[in-house]
Amino acid sequence: MRFRPLALAAGILTLATAGLAVAQQWESSGILAYRQSEMKVLGAHMGAIKAVVTDQRDFLASVPRHAEDIAAVAKLIPSLFPEGSGAGTPAGDTDALPAIWEKWGDFQAQAQTMGKLAEELAATAETGDPMATAQAFAKLGKEGCGACHETFRKKSS
Ligand code: HEC
């Protein structure tokens, strides 16, 4: 067979493109898995704090640790939502609504609000007042998590 450099080059290019497509697909499903895991971590922290303020008050000293991690995730949230990773895109199985990228400023502000409320919860728990801690927890759940989900997350049917 005669050596055909052009055909060879085309073949290499095809392989490289296919590899890139696979890599991109892997990358976008990776970000979904990671951000949904981070959200589950938030859910676990909230569950732990709820147990403390409900009837496990001996563990009040653990609340700042949970709340500080929630505040840390708040800073991360914008980078967990790269453009093109929402519902209705080829990114995969996600409840992230297109509104996130249409109202990006509001979305970021919502993440910041969650961070601020989590810091407030940590500071309140540090005072050792269980009632005030329960109130700060409820506020974080409603105005931090709930408010963002209301606008930016697909309702589960
Ligand atoms: C700035 C917006 C925003 C904030 C704040 C936020 N979330 Fe979310 N959350 C989302 C979006 C968007 C999704 C859907 C993500 C997806 O499916 O890719 C989600 C998904 C979730 C999920 C489902 C994850 C899964 O299994 O797919 C849980 C649980 C969750 N959030 C808990 C929380 C908790 C608890 C808080 C507050 C401590 C919180 N979230 C704060 C936007 C937010």
Side-chain angles (χ1 to χ4, degrees):
M1 202 175 89
R2 207 161 62 89
F3 178 60
R4 294 189 302 169
L6 255 181
L8 185 68
I12 289 171
L13 197 69
T14 309
L15 274 179
T17 313
L20 195 69
V22 168
Q24 273 170 349
Q25 212 176 0
W26 181 80
E27 224 173 73
S28 65
S29 69
I31 191 67
L32 293 195
Y34 182 58
R35 84 169 169 229
Q36 289 168 1
S37 298
E38 284 284 22
M39 285 289 168
K40 286 194 185 91
V41 167
L42 292 184
H45 282 310
M46 290 299 275
I49 301 168
K50 186 178 178 194
V52 172
V53 298
T54 307
D55 65 0
Q56 295 295 315
R57 292 181 179 175
D58 289 351
F59 294 98
L60 201 62
S62 295
V63 171
R65 174 172 55 82
H66 293 295
E68 291 296 350
D69 193 54
I70 293 173
V73 175
K75 292 204 178 76
L76 208 62
I77 283 183
S79 57
L80 297 177
F81 291 87
E83 211 155 338
S85 67
T89 70
D93 190 11
T94 169
D95 293 330
L97 290 176
I100 292 171
W101 297 276
E102 288 158 14
K103 302 186 217 164
W104 183 246
D106 291 355
F107 181 73
Q108 281 179 295
Q110 197 58 63
Q112 275 170 11
T113 298
M114 177 183 89
K116 188 172 76 68
L117 294 174
E119 297 284 6
E120 280 172 20
L121 170 59
T124 307
E126 298 277 7
T127 70
D129 178 343
M131 286 310 290
T133 303
Q135 279 164 4
F137 164 73
K139 194 170 175 188
L140 169 61
K142 189 162 178 269
E143 295 170 28
C145 321
C148 187
H149 291 165
E150 183 63 35
T151 315
F152 296 111
R153 183 171 71 154
K154 198 159 72 185
K155 313 266 171 308
S156 48
S157 44

